[in-house]
Amino acid sequence: MPSPIAFNPSSPSRSMFRKKKSINAMSTAASYLSAVSEADARARIQNGSPTSTPALSLSSSITASSEDTILDESEDNEDGLTYPSVPPTSEQVFTTVHTEFGHCGNEAFRFTSGHPLGEPVKVIHEQDPPYYILLTTYISYILVIVLGHIRDFFGKRLKPNAYKHLMFQDGYAALNSDFDSFYTRRLKLRIDDCFSHPVTGVPGRTIVLLDRASPDYNVTMIPTGTKTRALNISSYNYLGFAQGKGACSDAVEESVNRYGVASCGVRLEAGTLDLHVQAEALVARFLGVEDSLISSMGFATNSTIIPALVNKGCLVISDEFNHASIRFGVRLSGASVRMFKHNNMKSLENLLREVISQGQPKTHRPWKKILVIVEGLYSMEGTFVNLPKVLELKKKYKFYLWVDEAHSIGAIGPHGRGVCDYFGIDPHSVDILMGTFTKSFGAAGGYICGRKDIIDRLRISAHTGSYAESMAPPVLTQVIASMASIMGVTIIQDKPASSSLSLLRSSDASDLTITEPPSTTYPGNAPSTALPSWISLPPTLVDGSEGQMRLRRLAFNARYLNRALRKLGFIIYGHEDSPVIPLLLFHPGKMAVFSRMMRTRAIPIVVVVVAYPATPLVTSRVRFCLSASHTKEDVDTLLRACDEIGDLLDLKQGQGERWPLKDIIDRAVELVNMKEMP
């Protein structure tokens, strides 16, 4: 029988990735899981056990004799979209539907993320494309700008009503001037169908797009009433915890029942709940620091707490590619700011020498304090901060260090503790560790970690505590459950009657080995007393095995895709272990074509294209965001699409040795485990 991963366009077998015109009710999730178990048992008796989730599109080679191994793909599905034909095996942990989290039982498709101790951090040299690529890119921008100004010139005279909102009228100035809005009207509008695409459902392994069309060249978008399920390579769901099914979701549902439905959406002005205290204690233990402060919004964590640390007379030294929330917070603080070249430690040291020797402008008095702000993982570049070198400079020049781990926490490191874990660095050596719960933990909000005296001061002086709303109980529960799943939970022996033993409400609880708390603080398990007594987690989450599985799957997927794209000849930015992988497109017209060709394939793929002002003008890119929910077959599907589209759009301009696509797919494990790329 031909391999089920082969795609046959003439196959009558239906794929889960297709459009439907009507939405009908389906059977319950429990009945679906029951059907999976029964069909899998029959499949293993007859044909043996598959080791991973089936491919996204199945061949038509299934015979009538094996029909009992296929789940019912009736029209009565929950979202009008079909589920896969071949179920995962019962040996695998199966707590969610296939579309949310792909299941892979092959232990070879695992990798542990971490920097080798004692080795220098590899400097990433960004490749430049051939001159003709840059030349045509500049020419395309010039052409679009010139044509845009010509259209504006004649449009204001021939169709004045269409420009009324940009013109001075009735004594009022225009809120948006024609010059300020020129980019969005004449450049971005051309490819606006690639941005802000409405979706529904969970942003897991797949995502459901609400189809739309535009009769006036993207000025207005009209829903067509149909849906398309696509492979999701666009969400920051790094560990796959953004699920509608599973233990974390069950815990969130229980919190809604306990704290009330109103707690999900209203502003909590009453103050602190027990969940806030437990979440902050758990975050501090997860990071291996003394204390933490949580905020209900990630952007506000930077923008409202930076002004509480620095003010006039202080200096902030910022990486040139730092996030907008950092820039906004520095402006609010009133502190002076200087920038250094992205991740360039020589540029940082030269700047430190200059500012320390010169002091404050005009008076030349010493700075009150100097705060260096960097990111652990830069989401547009896919690069890690050279933290070992930054700490060397910190010891030499005595500045304070703020590390933004919005994208690195939970996504890198052997234990998922972020950039300090990745480089094997004591987290106490960093003054402020900031991060968010919106990526790896499938929740919302952010945190600040550090010494207890600093956190105590920030609770009083930071605007996020005085004016922002508290985090809702369901969000806190998601943070606690997902973080505990990564850490593992230690059951305290000397408290056998503790209500925390409700964590083990499972038929398999008796098989779990109960151990003493670890002697080290970082990284360590979460004591059962640190979690709400009513949270019920299965043994795979209590012992941390599922969290480790997610971390290792994410590390494999990230390293595999990064190295595979380089072997195909693409220009890729960033470090090899980064789950964010930018592929350079350069030409603005290629952005739209790449996104549309991905979205309209037989197996639709959703990607994020990024352009100015989020990136420099000539370095437009597509940014792949991988997740632990993706299988190796998902990455193979993406590689096939990139290989075909890359040839059509002339994107393979990278340097180095190239491999055929078939060799890359067949030698994926070898490619990932190579110490250095040949």
Side-chain angles (χ1 to χ4, degrees):
M1 184 175 72
S3 170
I5 67 171
F7 174 68
N8 184 357
S10 62
S11 169
S13 176
R14 293 175 296 185
S15 169
M16 59 188 278
F17 296 88
R18 63 189 184 90
K19 300 180 182 178
K20 301 284 285 185
K21 294 185 178 180
S22 61
I23 302 177
N24 301 318
M26 73 166 284
S27 56
T28 64
S31 63
Y32 174 74
L33 297 179
S34 176
V36 167
S37 177
E38 294 174 4
D40 172 60
R42 291 191 295 269
R44 287 186 290 111
I45 293 174
Q46 296 179 8
N47 301 319
S49 298
T51 59
S52 67
T53 291
L56 304 179
S57 187
L58 306 174
S59 68
S60 59
S61 57
I62 302 176
T63 63
S65 61
S66 62
E67 284 181 355
D68 59 346
T69 67
I70 307 173
L71 290 178
D72 180 23
E73 289 189 342
S74 65
E75 299 293 329
D76 299 329
N77 282 318
E78 183 177 21
D79 54 7
L81 302 160
T82 59
Y83 286 111
S85 294
V86 183
T89 66
S90 59
E91 286 81 7
Q92 302 165 31
V93 178
F94 187 76
T95 57
T96 64
V97 294
H98 171 278
T99 54
E100 292 182 9
F101 195 93
H103 299 277
C104 177
N106 192 336
E107 288 296 323
F109 301 148
R110 307 284 192 271
F111 188 76
T112 300
S113 168
H115 180 75
L117 294 178
E119 293 189 10
V121 179
K122 183 179 180 180
V123 179
I124 302 298
H125 297 286
E126 297 178 350
Q127 295 185 29
D128 293 324
Y131 284 115
Y132 81 89
I133 296 290
L134 291 176
L135 181 62
T136 55
T137 300
Y138 280 113
I139 291 175
S140 64
Y141 274 112
I142 293 173
L143 183 61
V144 173
I145 291 172
V146 170
L147 291 176
H149 281 297
I150 293 175
R151 294 182 66 186
D152 279 355
F153 178 81
F154 288 102
K156 290 177 182 178
R157 288 155 179 79
L158 301 178
K159 297 181 180 179
N161 289 335
Y163 291 84
K164 287 179 62 176
H165 63 291
L166 300 175
M167 306 296 292
F168 183 89
Q169 57 181 333
D170 299 330
Y172 290 94
L175 285 176
N176 294 317
S177 70
D178 57 348
F179 180 81
D180 292 337
S181 63
F182 181 83
Y183 177 82
T184 57
R185 290 186 295 106
R186 295 305 183 199
L187 283 80
K188 179 177 177 292
L189 185 66
R190 301 264 181 176
I191 57 174
D192 228 15
D193 62 307
C194 301
F195 306 109
S196 304
H197 203 120
V199 298
T200 184
V202 176
R205 173 184 178 242
T206 68
I207 198 167
V208 178
L209 302 178
L210 301 179
D211 299 325
R212 58 183 183 173
S214 178
D216 49 11
Y217 304 101
N218 295 338
V219 176
T220 57
M221 296 286 183
I222 300 175
T224 62
T226 60
K227 297 180 181 180
T228 300
R229 186 179 289 280
L231 181 63
N232 182 22
I233 315 291
S234 63
S235 299
Y236 293 139
N237 183 24
Y238 293 135
L239 293 182
F241 280 117
Q243 299 175 191
K245 307 288 183 184
C248 293
S249 300
D250 293 340
V252 171
E253 183 178 355
E254 177 63 21
S255 73
V256 174
N257 295 333
R258 286 179 172 269
Y259 291 90
V261 178
S263 66
C264 300
V266 300
R267 176 186 174 98
L268 295 179
E269 297 185 359
T272 302
L273 299 174
D274 56 339
L275 286 177
H276 292 92
V277 177
Q278 291 168 328
E280 289 182 342
L282 190 64
V283 170
R285 183 175 180 86
F286 184 78
L287 271 298
V289 294
E290 294 180 9
D291 201 0
S292 72
L293 167 67
I294 61 176
S295 171
S296 58
M297 181 180 178
F299 189 98
T301 306
N302 275 328
S303 60
T304 63
I305 291 182
I306 290 177
L309 288 175
V310 292
N311 50 30
K312 186 177 180 181
C314 301
L315 175 67
V316 174
I317 299 179
S318 176
D319 189 289
E320 65 175 338
F321 288 163
N322 275 348
H323 192 261
S325 60
I326 296 175
R327 296 167 179 259
F328 188 62
V330 174
R331 291 194 190 103
L332 290 178
S333 71
S336 300
V337 59
R338 297 288 299 273
M339 291 193 298
F340 64 95
K341 293 181 180 179
H342 173 58
N343 228 10
N344 189 319
M345 297 299 104
K346 187 65 176 177
S347 173
L348 174 58
E349 184 169 15
N350 291 339
L351 182 57
L352 285 166
R353 289 175 178 270
E354 176 189 342
V355 298
I356 292 174
S357 62
Q358 296 297 321
Q360 298 185 40
K362 297 183 181 179
T363 64
H364 297 289
R365 293 177 180 175
W367 298 100
K368 293 181 180 179
K369 68 183 78 167
I370 297 177
L371 176 66
V372 174
I373 304 180
V374 295
E375 294 187 32
L377 168 59
Y378 294 86
S379 60
M380 291 297 170
E381 307 299 315
T383 51
F384 299 145
V385 62
N386 190 343
L387 191 58
K389 183 61 177 178
V390 173
L391 291 176
E392 287 182 18
L393 297 177
K394 183 178 185 293
K395 293 179 181 178
K396 184 176 181 180
Y397 295 100
K398 310 301 180 184
F399 55 80
Y400 294 100
L401 178 60
W402 174 303
V403 178
D404 180 336
E405 291 209 85
H407 289 268
S408 55
I409 189 65
I412 62 173
H415 309 90
R417 263 69 166 192
V419 69
C420 290
D421 187 22
Y422 181 83
F423 288 111
I425 291 173
D426 185 355
H428 292 92
S429 58
V430 179
D431 299 291
I432 298 291
L433 285 167
M434 175 269 172
T436 64
F437 304 121
T438 56
K439 280 80 176 178
S440 297
F441 305 104
Y447 66 82
I448 292 288
C449 287
R451 298 200 317 266
K452 189 176 188 307
D453 58 334
I454 296 177
I455 301 302
D456 287 343
R457 177 63 182 175
L458 292 177
R459 293 186 196 279
I460 301 172
S461 57
H463 293 165
T464 187
S466 304
Y467 300 105
E469 73 278 5
S470 301
M471 291 177 67
V475 179
L476 290 167
T477 305
Q478 172 69 21
V479 172
I480 292 172
S482 58
M483 192 170 287
S485 300
I486 301 173
M487 300 174 68
V489 180
T490 299
I491 308 302
I492 309 300
Q493 271 188 336
D494 58 355
K495 294 184 179 180
S498 170
S499 59
S500 296
L501 292 179
S502 61
L503 289 164
L504 300 179
R505 286 186 223 134
S506 169
S507 58
D508 300 326
S510 59
D511 298 331
L512 185 68
T513 302
I514 299 177
T515 60
E516 292 289 340
S519 58
T520 57
T521 302
Y522 175 78
N525 291 358
S528 58
T529 53
L531 277 67
S533 60
W534 46 264
I535 286 186
S536 176
L537 299 179
T540 54
L541 269 64
V542 172
D543 62 16
S545 60
E546 180 169 331
Q548 283 298 312
M549 176 271 292
R550 291 174 185 259
L551 289 170
R552 299 187 68 217
R553 279 185 58 174
L554 173 63
F556 178 90
N557 291 341
R559 196 174 178 92
Y560 175 38
L561 180 60
N562 192 306
R563 289 189 164 187
L565 289 174
R566 294 177 191 271
K567 287 297 184 185
L568 286 176
F570 293 99
I571 296 179
I572 305 297
Y573 282 0
H575 286 83
E576 295 177 340
D577 290 330
S578 168
V580 178
I581 303 172
L583 186 155
L584 273 292
L585 302 176
F586 299 104
H587 199 288
K590 293 179 181 180
M591 294 170 52
V593 176
F594 191 97
S595 176
R596 292 163 185 164
M597 292 184 71
M598 281 285 188
R599 199 170 62 243
T600 56
R601 292 179 63 84
I603 300 175
I605 302 175
V606 178
V607 298
V608 174
V609 291
V610 187
Y612 177 86
T615 67
L617 189 66
V618 297
T619 57
S620 301
R621 65 199 67 177
V622 56
R623 187 179 57 176
F624 300 125
C625 301
L626 286 176
S627 168
S629 64
H630 294 124
T631 65
K632 193 261 185 185
E633 287 79 9
D634 295 340
V635 182
D636 293 343
T637 299
L638 178 61
L639 288 173
R640 292 187 183 96
C642 289
D643 185 51
E644 296 173 11
I645 299 174
D647 289 333
L648 292 173
L649 300 184
D650 191 24
L651 297 177
K652 298 180 179 180
Q653 303 294 340
Q655 302 171 0
E657 179 188 5
R658 298 191 184 185
W659 288 10
L661 177 62
K662 186 178 184 305
D663 288 352
I664 293 174
I665 294 176
D666 293 342
R667 300 169 60 186
V669 176
E670 176 189 348
L671 185 64
V672 168
N673 291 305
M674 286 179 179
K675 187 175 181 180
E676 292 289 341
M677 285 261 289

